[in-house]
Amino acid sequence: NIQPVQALTKYKLVFLGEQGVGKTSLITRFMYDLFDQHYQATIGIDFLSKTLQIDDNTVRLQLWDTAGQERFRSLIPSYIRDSNVGIIVYNVSEEKSFAKIDTWIKDVKDQRGEDVIIFLVGNKTDLEDKRKVETSTAEKKAAEHGVHFIETSAKSGYNVNTLFQRIARAITVVN
Ligand code: GDP
Ligand code: MG
């Protein structure tokens, strides 16, 4: 009676992007299926982990949440260096947060090389009436940089599980 061997593999995901785009909220939605309207500033770097089942593989994801405040920025490169995946979040209702995407992608590629897995995430799609960044614009940007792209809402939960499923698949395909 031969049991299939299950690979338990651990991957580090680092969440990046400007302050207030919803990094902590996406993690909270994914981990606990909760959403908090009240803003709670992330202090420095936090980490949580969760396992996902992808086909025959159990994938343990370590989620590293970073803070946008200037005084913590110097910590970020070392977390990027240790990560398998960079998740770069912007707010679809805030042009400024999208304008910073190129810098974040460059930061990740500088640390991890061109072949690193990057997900560009347009969050807060529930604010459709206040949308400033069109889906097609972001899609083009993602294609230019050769990165994955998805839109989410941590508030409604839209595409949050799908994001993590796609990340887990992207990792297991490469490895
Ligand atoms: P972070 O600084 O990137 O970690 O952002 P937070 O997760 O702390 O979220 C900043 C603010 O935006 C908080 O008030 C959240 O409640 C709110 N927020 C986060 N995600 C969403 C979303 O998908 N939709 C809406 N409407 N608000 C969100
Ligand atoms: Mg935060």
Side-chain angles (χ1 to χ4, degrees), residues 21-30 33-38 122-130 151-160:
V21 294
K23 301 178 292 296
T24 302
S25 298
L26 284 168
I27 292 172
T28 305
R29 171 61 78 188
F30 175 59
D33 201 17
L34 290 174
F35 176 75
D36 186 353
Q37 197 76 245
H38 305 287
N123 188 43
K124 308 201 187 184
T125 57
D126 57 284
L127 302 176
E128 191 54 48
D129 51 334
K130 293 181 185 148
E151 287 187 340
T152 59
S153 167
K155 184 173 182 178
S156 74
Y158 171 69
N159 264 350
V160 175

Side-chain angles (χ1 to χ4, degrees), residues 4-11 50-61 164-165 168-175:
V5 178
Q6 289 215 338
L8 174 63
T9 337
K10 197 172 74 182
Y11 297 100
K50 182 161 173 163
T51 54
L52 277 188
Q53 192 68 30
I54 300 288
D55 304 327
D56 288 339
N57 297 312
T58 305
V59 181
R60 176 169 283 275
L61 303 179
F164 287 93
Q165 288 286 332
R169 282 199 189 279
I171 296 166
T172 49
V173 165
V174 178
N175 291 279

Side-chain angles (χ1 to χ4, degrees), residues 8-146:
L8 174 63
T9 337
K10 197 172 74 182
Y11 297 100
K12 294 187 179 176
L13 281 49
V14 64
F15 284 75
L16 303 165
E18 300 307 296
Q19 197 169 354
V21 294
K23 301 178 292 296
T24 302
S25 298
L26 284 168
I27 292 172
T28 305
R29 171 61 78 188
F30 175 59
M31 292 292 297
Y32 312 114
D33 201 17
L34 290 174
F35 176 75
D36 186 353
Q37 197 76 245
H38 305 287
Y39 181 71
Q40 291 198 306
T42 309
I43 306 298
I45 308 247
D46 270 349
F47 114 80
L48 290 162
S49 77
K50 182 161 173 163
T51 54
L52 277 188
Q53 192 68 30
I54 300 288
D55 304 327
D56 288 339
N57 297 312
T58 305
V59 181
R60 176 169 283 275
L61 303 179
Q62 272 195 359
L63 315 181
W64 295 86
D65 190 9
T66 66
Q69 300 99 309
E70 212 50 58
R71 66 198 158 112
F72 298 121
R73 292 246 167 169
S74 59
L75 296 173
I76 293 177
S78 65
Y79 286 90
I80 295 176
R81 213 173 302 134
D82 281 346
S83 298
N84 305 94
V85 182
I87 297 141
I88 300 171
V89 185
Y90 67 93
N91 171 356
V92 299
S93 71
E94 192 197 21
E95 182 69 51
K96 204 175 56 172
S97 69
F98 185 70
K100 294 283 170 68
I101 288 308
D102 298 281
T103 314
W104 285 113
I105 292 176
K106 185 179 185 306
D107 285 353
V108 176
K109 288 187 174 176
D110 282 354
Q111 296 291 333
R112 299 282 314 172
E114 283 290 323
D115 293 336
V116 63
I117 299 170
I118 295 176
F119 277 75
L120 179 60
V121 178
N123 188 43
K124 308 201 187 184
T125 57
D126 57 284
L127 302 176
E128 191 54 48
D129 51 334
K130 293 181 185 148
R131 181 188 278 273
K132 300 283 175 353
V133 184
E134 294 307 320
T135 306
S136 58
T137 309
E139 268 169 356
K140 254 182 240 150
K141 170 84 73 189
E144 267 169 37
H145 288 287

